[in-house]
Amino acid sequence: ICAIATLVAFLLPFRYTSSVSFIPPNLNNSSSMGAALAGQLSAFGAGDLLGGMKSPGDLYAGVLRSRSIASELVKRFDLMHVYRVKKESQAENILNSSTSVTTDAKSSIVTVEVTAKSPQMAHDLASAYMEALRETNGRLALGQSSQRRLFFGEQLTQEKDDLENAEV
């Protein structure tokens, strides 16, 4: 039995895991990117989709698990070719199964662990998750700022019209 176990251990391919951790910003600070992200996602009702977030880390973990980030990474690293699959959804599923996103309940530290066949690929994918999160965070914050500017612009136009009507 020992010889069989040793043979099987040598026949299995090597797997490498790379991890990256971060502390999400406090969502109570209205000037933070996290507040913008929370505002955008709650506007779309994503809070319920992400499982009723209990901490800021849960919000970021939900974004990291999103299909849009998985799709971006599949295209960026040509994972359809790497995983030898014909559909992008199959590559996304393999990527999701080799990726673990966890949030520490006490400290809200979010950890992303990616397992791959090469140490460089594991490292690159883990780093890419962080880059994709930063890009998504910035895009959502910019979207919220644009919405505010549009709202205030409409309010200003309405007030000018009301003022002109009052003068007449």
Side-chain angles (χ1 to χ4, degrees):
I1 293 179
C2 184
I4 294 173
T6 304
L7 181 64
V8 169
F10 282 110
L11 291 177
L12 291 176
F14 289 107
R15 303 293 282 171
Y16 300 92
T17 301
S18 181
S19 65
V20 62
S21 300
F22 67 95
I23 301 173
N26 187 356
L27 296 181
N28 295 330
N29 181 357
S30 63
S31 66
S32 73
M33 288 258 201
L37 181 63
Q40 279 290 67
L41 291 176
S42 65
F44 295 121
D48 295 337
L49 295 175
L50 297 175
M53 294 162 287
K54 299 169 188 73
S55 72
D58 293 335
L59 173 70
Y60 285 92
V63 171
L64 286 165
R65 288 185 197 106
S66 71
R67 186 165 185 251
S68 62
I69 287 184
S71 176
E72 180 181 328
L73 295 181
V74 164
K75 290 173 187 164
R76 180 174 169 187
F77 290 97
D78 192 22
L79 294 180
M80 289 174 55
H81 177 72
V82 171
Y83 295 144
R84 297 184 180 111
V85 294
K86 297 193 183 291
K87 295 181 182 177
E88 186 176 326
S89 61
Q90 292 172 318
E92 290 172 8
N93 289 338
I94 294 171
L95 177 63
N96 288 336
S97 67
S98 64
T99 302
S100 168
V101 181
T102 56
T103 305
D104 183 73
K106 292 181 181 178
S107 64
S108 294
I109 293 175
V110 179
T111 302
V112 180
E113 293 182 343
V114 182
T115 303
K117 291 182 181 180
S118 75
Q120 187 63 42
M121 178 63 89
H123 172 268
D124 291 346
L125 282 170
S127 297
Y129 267 104
M130 297 312 301
E131 291 171 23
L133 179 63
R134 275 192 291 276
E135 290 171 9
T136 301
N137 214 0
R139 190 171 51 247
L140 291 175
L142 182 62
Q144 186 179 35
S145 299
S146 298
Q147 288 176 357
R148 278 194 188 128
R149 183 185 52 78
L150 182 63
F151 171 76
F152 288 129
E154 290 172 357
Q155 292 295 313
L156 182 62
T157 304
Q158 179 66 36
E159 290 300 321
K160 284 181 180 179
D161 290 343
D162 290 346
L163 184 60
E164 288 175 5
N165 289 340
E167 287 176 356
V168 170

